[in-house]
Amino acid sequence: MTYCLGIYLKEGLVFASDSRTNAGVDHIATFRKMTIFEKVGQRVYFLLSAGNLGTSQAVVNHLTRNLGDKTSSINLYATKNMFEAAEMIGDVLRDVHAKHGDHVRAAHADPGADFLFGGQVKGGKHRLFHIYSAGNFIEASPETPCLQIGETKYGKPILDRVITHNLALENAVKVTFLSFDATMRSNLSVGLPMDIATYREGKLKVDRHVVVTEADQYHAEIRRNYNSGLIELFRSLPTPPWLS
Amino acid sequence: MTYCLGIYLKEGLVFASDSRTNAGVDHIATFRKMTIFEKVGQRVYFLLSAGNLGTSQAVVNHLTRNLGDKTSSINLYATKNMFEAAEMIGDVLRDVHAKHGDHVRAAHADPGADFLFGGQVKGGKHRLFHIYSAGNFIEASPETPCLQIGETKYGKPILDRVITHNLALENAVKVTFLSFDATMRSNLSVGLPMDIATYREGKLKVDRHVVVTEADQYHAEIRRNYNSGLIELFRSLPTPPWLS
């Protein structure tokens, strides 16, 4: 299972993905689910995937091998804006489904894969999309700043409480840790390492890209402090009057 | 959508269910999803349902109309213990599926319904089961004290953090409010009123049964205090060192 999160802020973008791939009970493998395409000063793309690993890796490979090839129709660096780039990814995804979909379904597996795609192209705004397995997509907005794919529900309540479009990027990263912590506690098939990347609006280069492993001190600390703080908060709340 | 929760404690049992039924976009109706069967001093059963409302209401009706009828093979008051009672409910559920299942599927709907079933029969222990739509079931244990059906994921992280088999019943009720709050914030199709019932081990009668509506002061207070406490806790946590 996978959990990927994208947050659309006034200040920029935050992306996070776990890297656990679950293929059956006794085989849990680790794969990167975040791909970053960067041409400093020109454009930056962040692409995160959840779902069938064959499908998502095929899409990433098609996009990567043609990058910068001016003769190719699927050169992500040739698109005029984020919308065109999202459309191109949707088209590649449809091509992959056309080639492999029926064969995967014949093997009783689901070829579906979803993507989060965000970034900025020079001259345009920073944007964030959820590209569905069908190849169509929706865009994050100030009213709906968080997009999630994969195992989304466990980590949603804390986002709903805290995230707004105007939140400072640092704080959005903090919530990201908490949202992943909730997910990893409730679903063992989502696990570390976790990729976190941040982008600051207008910079046209990656701000930070960090791989959080079990050895990460900040992760251990926020996880511990949040849990003990929550339990303390819980204790401080009154019990129902009809029980006392 | 529905969310139902059952908690198996050393001290007893806690049950909670919302009462929102979602049949299409513009029609959200309210139905009770908790049925209590009580024969004071002899036995108490709590039955909660999620899934197809036709199926779950049919099961409850079959169980209710034969209650105490010594000539009927599906008299819940004639079972020797909780296990036999759970088996009887599974059998009734299979009968309902046999009669209606194909017709419901032909109308492109899912006839599936899951149940939480718990209580105590004189001479036995208090027990809690999840009866699957297939009619088979699993039992809660000290290691796995929480069973959930319906929209289960949003409300699970707080349970995972706080609930243990040895938790005081009052505190388990408090967590129940928080678990439902998280669910109702993240999924509008789960909503008040909420039924909460408690059972104290060995008492062979209902401890408390409360219907929590929008007017409930405790609900409003714990919801508000938990949210502001969480946001305060969130603010108190440090941001990642690599961002500052």
Side-chain angles (χ1 to χ4, degrees):
Chain A
M1 203 59 197
T2 295
Y3 175 33
C4 296
L5 169 64
I7 309 176
Y8 170 60
L9 303 165
K10 206 172 163 192
E11 287 188 5
L13 300 163
V14 175
F15 296 95
S17 59
D18 84 309
S19 48
R20 196 67 64 85
T21 296
N22 192 347
V25 179
D26 55 358
H27 175 62
I28 294 183
T30 296
F31 287 100
R32 294 285 285 273
K33 293 161 192 169
M34 185 188 295
T35 308
I36 301 177
F37 304 85
E38 183 185 35
K39 207 169 180 181
V40 176
Q42 297 298 315
R43 61 183 81 215
V44 185
Y45 301 134
F46 300 83
L47 184 64
L48 291 76
S49 58
N52 186 291
L53 194 64
T55 300
S56 58
Q57 288 192 352
V59 169
V60 171
N61 272 283
H62 281 291
L63 294 172
T64 308
R65 70 173 180 184
N66 293 304
L67 211 57
D69 176 356
K70 284 169 190 166
T71 66
S72 168
S73 64
I74 47 174
N75 171 13
L76 265 187
Y77 284 169
T79 59
K80 291 196 192 72
N81 50 51
M82 288 299 297
F83 184 87
E84 267 191 31
E87 243 182 351
M88 187 176 286
I89 296 169
D91 289 344
V92 170
L93 177 54
R94 283 177 187 163
D95 290 345
V96 170
H97 279 315
K99 180 169 170 62
H100 297 290
D102 286 346
H103 298 276
V104 175
R105 275 183 289 268
H108 303 291
D110 181 356
D114 283 54
F115 292 84
L116 294 182
F117 175 65
Q120 189 166 19
V121 174
K122 195 176 176 179
K125 294 185 186 304
H126 66 298
R127 298 172 74 173
L128 171 63
F129 301 92
H130 173 173
I131 303 171
Y132 294 107
S133 193
N136 60 334
F137 49 88
I138 60 166
E139 184 172 6
S141 67
E143 295 73 31
T144 310
C146 293
L147 297 180
Q148 304 168 287
I149 55 175
E151 182 61 86
T152 62
K153 292 187 177 183
Y154 300 119
K156 188 166 183 286
I158 186 69
L159 301 176
D160 287 340
R161 287 182 197 275
V162 178
I163 295 280
T164 65
H165 182 58
N166 293 321
L167 195 69
L169 188 138
E170 289 76 9
N171 286 329
V173 172
K174 208 161 67 167
V175 192
T176 297
F177 273 90
L178 303 182
S179 179
F180 272 74
D181 182 42
T183 308
M184 291 192 268
R185 279 175 193 269
S186 289
N187 185 336
L188 293 182
S189 77
V190 174
L192 296 179
M194 165 167 84
D195 277 300
I196 301 192
T198 58
Y199 176 74
R200 301 214 185 240
E201 192 276 318
K203 298 293 183 192
L204 297 170
K205 65 184 178 71
V206 176
D207 177 53
R208 289 282 188 285
H209 175 217
V210 175
V211 180
V212 177
T213 65
E214 298 284 355
D216 189 278
Q217 284 212 343
Y218 174 75
H219 177 258
E221 189 189 321
I222 195 172
R223 186 179 155 91
R224 193 174 53 241
N225 291 352
Y226 183 62
N227 195 56
S228 59
L230 257 187
I231 287 168
E232 205 177 302
L233 169 61
F234 170 73
R235 287 202 183 119
S236 77
L237 298 170
T239 48
W242 40 267
L243 267 175
S244 46
Chain B
M1 202 58 195
T2 296
Y3 175 33
C4 298
L5 170 64
I7 309 176
Y8 170 61
L9 303 166
K10 205 171 164 194
E11 287 187 4
L13 300 164
V14 174
F15 296 94
S17 58
D18 84 308
S19 49
R20 196 66 65 85
T21 296
N22 191 347
V25 179
D26 56 356
H27 175 63
I28 294 183
T30 296
F31 287 100
R32 293 285 286 273
K33 294 162 191 169
M34 185 189 295
T35 308
I36 301 176
F37 305 85
E38 182 185 34
K39 206 168 180 181
V40 176
Q42 297 296 317
R43 64 182 78 215
V44 185
Y45 300 134
F46 299 84
L47 184 64
L48 291 75
S49 58
N52 186 291
L53 195 62
T55 300
S56 58
Q57 287 191 352
V59 168
V60 171
N61 273 283
H62 281 292
L63 294 172
T64 309
R65 69 174 180 184
N66 293 303
L67 210 58
D69 176 356
K70 284 168 189 164
T71 66
S72 167
S73 63
I74 45 174
N75 170 14
L76 266 186
Y77 284 169
T79 59
K80 291 196 192 72
N81 49 53
M82 288 299 298
F83 183 87
E84 267 191 30
E87 243 182 352
M88 187 176 285
I89 296 169
D91 289 344
V92 170
L93 177 54
R94 284 178 186 162
D95 290 344
V96 170
H97 279 315
K99 180 170 171 59
H100 298 290
D102 286 344
H103 299 275
V104 176
R105 275 184 289 268
H108 304 290
D110 180 357
D114 283 54
F115 292 84
L116 294 181
F117 175 65
Q120 188 166 20
V121 174
K122 195 176 177 179
K125 292 185 188 305
H126 66 298
R127 299 172 75 174
L128 171 63
F129 302 92
H130 174 173
I131 302 171
Y132 294 107
S133 193
N136 60 334
F137 49 88
I138 59 167
E139 184 171 5
S141 67
E143 295 73 30
T144 308
C146 293
L147 297 180
Q148 303 169 286
I149 54 175
E151 182 60 87
T152 62
K153 292 187 178 183
Y154 301 118
K156 188 166 182 286
I158 186 68
L159 301 175
D160 288 340
R161 288 182 197 275
V162 179
I163 295 280
T164 65
H165 183 58
N166 292 321
L167 194 70
L169 188 137
E170 287 76 8
N171 286 330
V173 172
K174 207 160 66 167
V175 192
T176 297
F177 274 88
L178 303 182
S179 178
F180 272 73
D181 183 42
T183 308
M184 291 192 270
R185 278 174 193 270
S186 289
N187 185 337
L188 292 182
S189 76
V190 174
L192 296 179
M194 164 168 84
D195 277 300
I196 301 192
T198 58
Y199 176 74
R200 301 215 184 238
E201 191 277 318
K203 297 293 183 192
L204 298 171
K205 66 184 178 72
V206 176
D207 178 51
R208 289 283 188 285
H209 175 219
V210 174
V211 180
V212 177
T213 66
E214 298 284 354
D216 189 280
Q217 285 213 340
Y218 173 75
H219 177 258
E221 188 188 321
I222 194 171
R223 186 179 156 91
R224 191 173 55 240
N225 292 352
Y226 183 62
N227 194 56
S228 59
L230 257 184
I231 286 168
E232 203 178 303
L233 168 60
F234 170 73
R235 289 202 182 120
S236 76
L237 298 170
T239 48
W242 42 267
L243 267 175
S244 47

